[in-house]
Amino acid sequence: MVSVIPQTRPARVKKRARLAPYIFIGLAVLYLLFFTAYPLLTGVNLSFTNSKLLNPSAGTYVGFDNYTSLIASGAFMKSVYTTLVYTAATVVGCLVLGTASALVINGFLPGRAIARTIMVLPWAVPTVALALVFRWIYNDTNGIAGDATQALGLGQIGWLIDPNYGMLAVVIATVWKLAPFVMLIVLAALQSVPEELYEATRVDGADAFTTFKQIVLPQIAPTMRVVALLMTIWSFRRFEIIWLLTGGGPVDATTTIVINVYRQAFNNGNLGLAAAAGVLGLLLSFIVTVVYFFVEQRAIKANGAES
């Protein structure tokens, strides 16, 4: 007797298979709504009140008073400027150092895996440990940074107490930690560049700089733009490394928007003003993201026109 094997699955199995994608997407949407959308809308609503930390529910609606107060405040506008400076410095520093490291490792064949492991260690260091190490490095009396500047004839520099060097100290620590992340991403992009392009440049007798400019850079530019966007958004909201190193000082030299939000909420107890500052910071991040997508679309159209 020959048994006939059904050629189609049971109807219930097919139904489950059709519903599975919607279930997974629905769970992700619920997660975003609960952990992102709800806190965001609550924060926006809070920004229109004069709520205080000790009694948040007693706040009353004050309209746009918090926003007008912040925009008219010199301290908040200075924190916006400080945020932009910190963001630009860290993004450029991480991109330059990370890309240079990726190029070195990509061309350094012997021991590449060991070199990559060693160079990625700063990224794996916890932020608290990083801050403690750099506070020791920047120490005024026995820090190695001060010894180095004295050896170079620059004298003793108060990295964490001099307003002229506070931002530089924070940027150096941030770049040291995050450049390895950029290195890993750019290295992956470099390893995807077709070998035929390198062979063509060698046949043409192009030097290393010409090869990088005409072959490598166009290939990795989309990846670098995405990394730059991520680094920019992360820099806008970075709190822990700045707070642990300088606390927003010296003399507010490193007081970014998120430091301002923290001080308004927990030092001054003004939740409404803190929420308004957070919303303005979010709008600034949104504007940067829109500009990025605009630049990206123009780059795609330009590449399409050239091809």
Side-chain angles (χ1 to χ4, degrees):
M1 179 181 294
V2 179
S3 60
V4 179
I5 301 176
Q7 299 298 317
T8 58
R9 294 181 296 175
R12 283 187 299 177
V13 177
K14 287 186 176 181
K15 186 177 181 180
R16 291 175 182 174
R18 288 195 299 267
L19 290 177
Y22 299 99
I23 293 174
F24 288 120
I25 293 175
L27 292 174
V29 170
L30 287 176
Y31 175 85
L32 291 175
L33 288 175
F34 187 77
F35 290 102
T36 302
Y38 176 73
L40 176 62
L41 294 177
T42 302
V44 172
N45 179 68
L46 193 64
S47 69
F48 294 105
T49 69
N50 59 359
S51 299
K52 303 299 180 181
L53 180 63
L54 297 180
N55 192 6
S57 59
T60 58
Y61 281 91
V62 294
F64 288 92
D65 289 355
N66 290 328
Y67 291 96
T68 55
S69 175
L70 285 174
I71 294 174
S73 169
F76 177 76
M77 298 309 297
K78 182 181 178 181
S79 71
V80 173
Y81 173 76
T82 303
T83 302
L84 295 176
V85 171
Y86 172 78
T87 300
T90 53
V91 171
V92 172
C94 288
L95 284 177
V96 172
L97 184 59
T99 303
S101 302
L103 289 171
V104 170
I105 293 181
N106 190 53
F108 184 68
L109 296 179
R112 176 188 297 178
I114 298 176
R116 183 171 59 240
T117 303
I118 294 174
M119 295 182 70
V120 82
L121 285 178
W123 184 41
V125 173
T127 304
V128 175
L130 169 79
L132 291 175
V133 170
F134 270 92
R135 285 186 68 88
W136 172 74
I137 291 175
Y138 293 139
N139 188 275
D140 298 333
T141 57
N142 55 7
I144 59 175
D147 295 339
T149 55
Q150 285 185 334
L152 295 173
L154 301 177
Q156 185 72 26
I157 294 177
W159 292 94
L160 299 180
I161 61 175
D162 190 336
N164 297 319
Y165 295 98
M167 177 61 70
L168 179 60
V170 172
V171 168
I172 291 174
T174 306
V175 171
W176 186 85
K177 179 172 176 59
L178 297 180
F181 170 78
V182 178
M183 180 199 70
L184 289 177
I185 303 300
V186 175
L187 181 61
L190 286 172
Q191 293 177 348
S192 65
V193 178
E195 185 63 29
E196 294 80 6
L197 297 178
Y198 291 110
E199 294 178 356
T201 57
R202 284 193 291 266
V203 171
D204 293 339
D207 56 16
F209 177 77
T210 303
T211 300
F212 174 77
K213 180 181 178 181
Q214 298 183 357
I215 301 298
V216 177
L217 186 58
Q219 294 290 321
I220 67 174
T223 301
M224 294 182 66
R225 287 196 294 267
V226 173
V227 173
L229 174 64
L230 292 175
M231 296 291 295
T232 300
I233 295 174
W234 294 342
S235 297
F236 275 136
R237 64 180 189 174
R238 185 163 293 113
F239 171 81
E240 65 279 8
I241 191 170
I242 302 174
W243 183 258
L244 291 171
L245 277 176
T246 64
V251 197
D252 293 335
T254 59
T255 299
T256 58
I257 294 176
V258 290
I259 300 293
N260 190 291
V261 170
Y262 179 87
R263 287 178 174 175
Q264 290 291 348
F266 298 103
N267 292 353
N268 301 336
N270 196 330
L271 292 183
L273 206 61
V279 171
L280 290 176
L282 179 63
L283 290 176
L284 187 60
S285 300
F286 178 75
I287 292 172
V288 171
T289 305
V290 170
V291 171
Y292 161 78
F293 281 112
F294 177 75
V295 173
E296 183 70 13
Q297 289 299 318
R298 291 195 61 179
I300 293 174
K301 291 180 181 179
N303 293 333
E306 291 177 359
S307 59

